[in-house]
Amino acid sequence: MVTVTNSIVKKVNEIFYSLQGEGYYTGTPAVFLRLSGCNMACSFCDTQHQEGVEMTDEDIVKEVQKYPARHIVITGGEPTMQLTAGLTHALKQAGFFIQIETNGTLALPEGCEIDWITCSPKAKQIMIQRVDELKVLYPRKDMEDYEGIEAKEYRLQPIDSGDADINRDNVKETINYILKNPKWHLSLQTHKILNVR
């Protein structure tokens, strides 16, 4: 039995079950909790995250427990805009390993219990306190801005432009950069390759 106290209503874009398609945990069965809204407007964003329904922490935990995996990916938009310590505590009580995917522009709310922080920076300054996995979308001209960020894992992911010819060039440039800078590892959006969510 999970006890939720001081539950704050959140706007949830979607909850679904699939394989993690990107980064260190690629291929891992996971429940995805996509919170609505973002504090940035990136031209290459491939997520429709604005819409959503209001759910309490208790509603969220009840819904995510319907799936067999106990790895949850909290994403957005920008999930730190709505994330609370109460939600993470309730998810930990329910036995979840909690991964968050954030742009790093906002600090984690105090008291949040997060097992793995994937930061995909969209701005020069990172406000997040800890980064387990730095996942940079490539190509970009400002790579030196990210060289000093401490992380356990460093991933470069080709930007999906929506154009096959540009995407081929992006993949080639990403691979070339990694070969010259071997601390970086390749991340692909395998869910798109496999045609899963």
Side-chain angles (χ1 to χ4, degrees):
M1 177 80 176
V2 175
T3 305
V4 179
T5 57
N6 300 325
S7 183
I8 297 173
V9 173
K10 293 164 181 64
K11 188 176 178 184
V12 175
N13 179 262
E14 61 179 339
I15 295 173
F16 64 95
Y17 183 52
S18 188
L19 298 178
Q20 171 61 289
E22 304 174 358
Y24 182 76
Y25 284 102
T26 293
T28 302
V31 182
F32 289 81
L33 167 60
R34 186 180 307 283
L35 299 176
S36 301
C38 191
N39 61 338
M40 303 196 76
C42 301
S43 60
F44 49 79
C45 184
D46 59 1
T47 305
Q48 298 297 321
H49 55 75
Q50 296 84 1
E51 300 301 317
V53 296
E54 290 190 344
M55 297 178 75
T56 65
D57 293 348
E58 190 172 22
D59 295 333
I60 291 169
V61 173
K62 186 176 179 182
E63 184 65 26
V64 300
Q65 284 183 304
K66 292 178 181 178
Y67 302 102
R70 286 299 174 261
H71 184 120
I72 190 165
V73 179
I74 304 175
T75 185
E78 177 45 48
T80 58
M81 292 172 63
Q82 295 192 71
L83 192 66
T84 59
L87 175 59
T88 63
H89 180 69
L91 289 168
K92 293 305 288 181
Q93 272 192 306
F96 280 91
F97 176 94
I98 303 173
Q99 177 183 359
I100 186 171
E101 294 188 352
T102 174
N103 62 32
T105 57
L106 302 172
L108 279 178
E110 191 171 334
C112 283
E113 301 171 63
I114 305 294
D115 297 295
W116 188 264
I117 298 171
T118 299
C119 179
S120 184
K122 309 298 187 300
K124 289 187 177 184
Q125 191 166 11
I126 303 300
M127 301 302 294
I128 200 125
Q129 301 94 324
R130 176 185 111 230
V131 175
D132 294 299
E133 175 181 16
L134 185 65
K135 185 177 68 178
V136 176
L137 302 184
Y138 197 84
R140 60 191 311 142
K141 296 175 181 174
D142 54 354
M143 284 300 294
E144 65 278 359
D145 293 336
Y146 306 115
E147 290 297 334
I149 297 173
E150 291 290 326
K152 295 174 185 173
E153 297 286 333
Y154 295 88
R155 306 280 168 175
L156 277 193
Q157 184 167 295
I159 291 175
D160 181 359
S161 69
D163 179 284
D165 292 330
I166 294 172
N167 285 352
R168 272 191 294 276
D169 289 341
N170 287 350
V171 169
K172 185 177 179 181
E173 286 188 49
T174 303
I175 291 170
N176 287 339
Y177 187 89
I178 291 169
L179 290 173
K180 292 174 185 172
N181 301 274
K183 87 170 184 180
W184 295 92
H185 294 185
L186 183 65
S187 174
L188 296 174
Q189 292 182 300
T190 60
H191 52 292
K192 292 182 179 180
I193 296 167
L194 299 172
N195 197 29
V196 297
R197 290 201 66 197

